[in-house]
Amino acid sequence: MTLQLASRLGTVKPAATMAAKLVVDRLRATGKTIVDFTIGEPDFPTPDHIVAGGISALSTGKTRYTAPGGIQPLREAIAQKLLRENGLHFSPDEIVVGAGAKQIIYSALGATLNPDDEVIVPAPYWVSYPDIVSLHGGVPIIVSCGVETGFKLTPAALERAITPRTRWLILNSPGNPTGAVYTRAELEGLAAVLRAHPHVWVMTDEIYEHFVYGGAEHVSLLSAASDLGPRTLIVNGMSKAYAMTGWRVGYGAGPLKLVKAITLLSAQTTSCVTTVSQIAATIALNGSQACVEEAVALFHQRRDRMIALLGGIPGLMCSPPDGAFYAFPSVSGLIGAVTPQGKTLVSDLDVTLYFLEHAGVAAIDGNAYGAPSYLRMSFATSIEQIEFGCNALKKAAEACTFPLSKNTEQSDA
């Protein structure tokens, strides 16, 4: 008898970042040297004091189940963090801990979406947002936000997207893949629209909040519009700021009814987050934040170096991102180019594959993020790897040629 899978799986694609990592690992296993600009995680280990706290928890027998919503000390530490860093008041009961921020997002949508409910997803978007919506029977409403708006949703575009079936708006600032950071004024503009539509809830993903550069400042939506608190879920976690991707600790802060619903789903899925991970996360939040500050300074240097090098590659255009740790260059200047192997590059995926095969550099095509003609390139890697990889990209781009018609168009522009 043939196993029949649920029809809803037909709407879901493998996560582009994980798929890219598998390709990189496979190529490396064959002996090829690959510079990996795909994966979105810090390249350095979890800070020593956090690891030591985890080891201590293991050695003292703290290895049993916890409450599904998270241990009390961690939820208290999260509440203190939100007050200290964001000026937001939450009680520990209004906070739920999950196995990564992704589980919080998944459970929140699972607890609130009915078939054909709509969720507004600004594009470019993190690859999992639309798929998680679809898995729960919802309809992702993709709103394209181009470079002309800084890859950010405008009040007018939000107003046009809202219908009576809209249940959620998902905001991500600093954003993956673009690094876009919403200003206080921009958030206030969106909030003005949302006030006219009280049936729309807001999920604000702030996982990259610490990684802002230059004059940019992270502002939480509720800091700009506290009156939206009764219908807002803040999503965050430990993965990026504390280099704890494998520990799998995320959290949500929001209205008690929603937090209880997410906790109920956690009790029936993961039961709880690993005890030792929760203890380590508590230590991370309550301890010195110097490790976070050092990471931000390091990524700032890497951002500047990658942007400078990308600016010298023919066919690529890239503005410095205000946040996160990704460059998001346009490769439209390479569309139509012919590789030394005689292949015409007709899409961002073609460019991605060409760079992988002939430069040994892995990136992710923008189409995976709802933004064709772009690439996402992580600078969460060493300066040496950034320089080596970007120099290889430059050589590969310079080896391409354009048909006469393309050259004529460029000279006429």
Side-chain angles (χ1 to χ4, degrees):
M1 181 176 178
T2 302
L3 174 66
Q4 293 191 349
L5 299 178
S7 58
R8 61 181 174 274
L9 288 181
T11 66
V12 179
K13 305 176 295 296
T17 47
M18 293 296 103
K21 178 171 172 50
L22 289 174
V23 171
V24 170
D25 290 344
R26 187 164 60 247
L27 289 172
R28 285 175 171 169
T30 66
K32 293 186 177 180
T33 299
I34 303 295
V35 176
D36 187 3
F37 290 151
T38 68
I39 200 66
E41 66 176 344
D43 61 319
F44 40 82
T46 305
D48 290 343
H49 70 287
I50 301 173
V51 174
I55 293 172
S56 176
L58 289 172
S59 64
T60 54
K62 295 182 175 66
T63 56
R64 298 185 179 276
Y65 291 129
T66 75
I71 61 175
Q72 183 74 11
L74 176 54
R75 289 185 290 115
E76 291 175 352
I78 293 167
Q80 287 299 312
K81 178 268 175 212
L82 290 169
L83 179 61
R84 179 179 68 246
E85 297 185 357
N86 307 105
L88 303 176
H89 294 266
F90 286 92
S91 73
D93 289 341
E94 294 172 313
I95 293 166
V96 56
V97 179
K102 184 182 287 188
Q103 187 198 356
I104 299 297
I105 295 168
Y106 187 94
S107 296
L109 295 177
T112 57
L113 291 181
N114 289 312
D116 300 324
D117 283 346
E118 296 174 352
V119 178
I120 297 172
V121 181
Y125 47 72
W126 178 49
V127 293
S128 292
Y129 294 143
D131 286 337
I132 293 175
V133 171
S134 297
L135 266 173
H136 292 301
V139 179
I141 303 300
I142 308 302
V143 180
S144 180
C145 306
V147 67
E148 67 279 359
T149 65
F151 301 115
K152 290 181 276 190
L153 182 69
T154 64
L158 173 60
E159 181 69 53
R160 288 192 298 269
I162 293 175
T163 76
R165 295 206 64 86
T166 305
R167 292 297 302 276
W168 286 96
L169 162 66
I170 298 179
L171 285 179
N172 178 206
S173 178
N176 174 9
T178 66
V181 178
Y182 285 85
T183 66
R184 182 177 295 273
E186 289 167 339
L187 292 173
E188 290 172 346
L190 296 175
V193 175
L194 292 165
R195 291 188 185 103
H197 301 279
H199 66 291
V200 181
W201 282 55
V202 187
M203 183 182 297
T204 172
D205 182 347
E206 303 181 8
I207 193 74
Y208 294 96
E209 67 168 323
H210 293 97
F211 297 99
V212 289
Y213 314 109
E217 176 188 10
H218 168 72
V219 178
S220 179
L221 174 66
L222 293 187
S223 295
S226 60
D227 59 302
L228 296 181
R231 51 182 167 126
T232 297
L233 177 68
I234 294 176
V235 178
N236 209 323
M238 311 301 295
S239 293
K240 313 300 181 180
Y242 300 95
M244 293 179 69
T245 52
W247 296 76
R248 306 311 303 138
V249 183
Y251 59 85
L256 184 59
K257 184 176 181 180
L258 177 59
V259 165
K260 286 184 175 180
I262 294 171
T263 302
L264 176 63
L265 290 182
S266 295
Q268 296 295 348
T269 51
T270 58
S271 294
C272 64
V273 177
T274 305
T275 307
V276 63
S277 294
Q278 293 191 62
I279 293 171
T282 306
I283 292 169
L285 291 171
N286 287 338
S288 169
Q289 301 302 296
C291 59
V292 179
E293 297 168 2
E294 291 168 2
V296 174
L298 180 62
F299 282 125
H300 197 166
Q301 295 173 3
R302 293 172 172 184
R303 179 202 74 150
D304 291 349
R305 187 60 180 144
M306 177 173 274
I307 295 303
L309 292 170
L310 290 177
I313 299 176
L316 271 63
M317 294 180 59
C318 188
S319 299
D322 286 330
F325 39 68
Y326 309 104
F328 200 59
S330 167
V331 295
S332 59
L334 283 176
I335 303 302
V338 179
T339 72
Q341 295 74 33
K343 177 178 174 58
T344 300
L345 303 176
V346 298
S347 69
D348 53 316
L349 180 58
D350 284 344
V351 175
T352 302
L353 294 175
Y354 171 63
F355 282 157
L356 179 60
E357 294 170 4
H358 301 287
V361 177
I364 303 178
D365 60 286
N367 192 58
Y369 301 92
S373 299
Y374 286 85
L375 299 184
R376 193 193 80 163
M377 301 174 64
S378 170
F379 49 84
T381 189
S382 69
I383 291 287
E384 291 76 18
Q385 285 290 286
I386 289 170
E387 292 178 342
F388 185 87
C390 287
N391 287 332
L393 292 178
K394 182 177 182 180
K395 291 178 182 177
E398 289 175 340
C400 293
T401 58
F402 284 95
L404 180 60
S405 59
K406 183 75 174 183
N407 289 331
T408 301
E409 292 170 8
Q410 290 181 328
S411 63
D412 291 341

